[in-house]
């Protein structure tokens, strides 16, 4: 089976490094910063949207977002593993999935360079395909990133669109919509950036409360 994971809030708790990078970019340009605890509500749709949400509403222009993105990327490239850590049980889950012969992938709205760097740092030689945000390619919840991943996965290209062949795991409604748009099974993890009660309220049928529960969905 193919198992495709979201990154931020699913495999790794990245919120501190994202928050510090965002605040660095804001402060450098003279805009108010945010408590790290409030950053969770701003993430999930890529760096540009994080910056847009963090800026005062009256100055949210595409041009300013692009300028702050440069500062964000400069800082984040150097500090994206400072405080980021795998969620408890994730490393054991990935090891078990690999041992059982499942193909693993990452689909993230984080820009591709950082996505690859972070995955290689924390989970070397673990994933068959890793894709982040790429220029000219729509972000999640557009299904293109998942389609591109499945086309690159080994051995089973003839069933890449089969719902039974792939499980998508994420922590947000963006991930839910991505799986729905790609016509894939979806499971939401309750340890990420979206509270469990919000996942329930959204009508998500399959919610896992620990990484070990994911093994029950692929056996």
């Amino acid at each position: 089976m193919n198992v495709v994971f979201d990154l931020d809030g699913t495999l790794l708790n990245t919120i501190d490094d994202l928050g510090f990078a965002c605040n660095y970019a804001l402060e450098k340009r003279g805009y108010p910063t945010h408590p790290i605890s409030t950053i969770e509500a701003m993430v999930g749709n890529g760096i540009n949207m994080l910056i847009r949400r963090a800026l005062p509403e009256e100055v949210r222009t595409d041009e300013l977002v692009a300028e702050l993105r440069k500062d964000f990327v400069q800082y984040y490239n150097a500090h994206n593993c400072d405080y980021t850590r795998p969620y408890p049980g994730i490393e054991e889950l990935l090891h078990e999935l690999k041992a059982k012969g499942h193909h693993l992938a990452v689909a993230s709205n984080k820009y591709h360079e950082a996505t690859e760097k972070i995955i290689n740092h924390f989970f070397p030689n673990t994933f068959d395909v890793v894709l982040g945000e790429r220029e000219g390619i729509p972000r999640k919840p557009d299904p293109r990133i998942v389609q591109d991943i499945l086309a690159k996965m080994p051995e089973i290209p003839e069933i890449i669109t089969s719902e039974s062949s792939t499980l998508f795991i994420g922590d947000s409604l963006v991930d839910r919509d991505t799986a729905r748009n790609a016509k894939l099974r979806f499971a939401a993890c309750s340890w990420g950036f979206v509270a469990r009660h919000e996942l329930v309220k959204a009508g998500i049928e399959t919610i896992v409360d620990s990484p070990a529960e994911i093994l029950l969905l692929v056996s």
Side-chain angles (χ1 to χ4, degrees), residues 77-149:
N77 281 346
H79 298 281
N80 53 33
C81 295
D82 286 1
Y83 297 98
T84 291
R85 295 292 183 271
Y87 286 102
I90 286 294
E91 291 169 298
E92 294 81 359
L93 167 67
L94 297 178
H95 177 80
E96 189 70 16
L97 290 173
K98 290 287 284 186
K100 290 179 179 295
H102 298 292
H103 301 310
L104 309 182
V106 172
S108 178
N109 274 345
K110 187 191 301 292
Y111 62 97
H112 184 70
E113 178 186 0
T115 299
E116 278 198 318
K117 177 185 174 183
I118 293 171
I119 289 297
N120 289 335
H121 177 84
F122 288 103
F123 311 115
N125 305 312
T126 299
F127 291 93
D128 296 282
V129 184
V130 174
L131 288 181
E133 178 193 42
R134 297 159 293 160
E135 186 174 356
I137 306 297
R139 294 184 296 274
K140 298 183 297 184
D142 189 283
R144 173 67 182 274
I145 187 172
V146 175
Q147 294 164 349
D148 288 349
I149 283 172

Side-chain angles (χ1 to χ4, degrees), residues 135-200:
E135 186 174 356
I137 306 297
R139 294 184 296 274
K140 298 183 297 184
D142 189 283
R144 173 67 182 274
I145 187 172
V146 175
Q147 294 164 349
D148 288 349
I149 283 172
L150 295 180
K152 296 175 182 291
M153 292 291 256
E155 298 181 8
I156 54 171
E158 70 276 8
I159 58 170
I160 61 174
T161 60
S162 169
E163 291 189 36
S164 63
S165 69
T166 302
L167 174 66
F168 190 97
I169 300 167
D171 71 308
S172 70
L173 303 189
V174 171
D175 295 317
R176 186 274 310 272
D177 293 345
T178 304
R180 177 183 293 169
N181 292 338
K183 298 181 172 59
L184 301 177
R185 291 171 57 207
F186 177 68
C189 60
S190 65
W191 57 81
F193 298 160
V194 178
R196 194 184 202 283
H197 72 270
E198 292 294 336
L199 301 173
V200 172

Side-chain angles (χ1 to χ4, degrees), residues 8 18 21-22 42-54 65 68-70 72-73 76 109-111 114 133 139:
D8 301 83
L18 288 170
C22 185
M42 303 181 192
V43 302
N45 298 94
I47 299 304
N48 284 20
M49 186 57 71
L50 167 58
I51 294 169
R52 183 176 295 275
R53 289 167 175 159
V65 168
L68 266 71
R69 180 189 172 99
K70 295 176 184 176
F72 181 105
V73 168
Y76 194 66
N109 274 345
K110 187 191 301 292
Y111 62 97
E133 178 193 42
R139 294 184 296 274

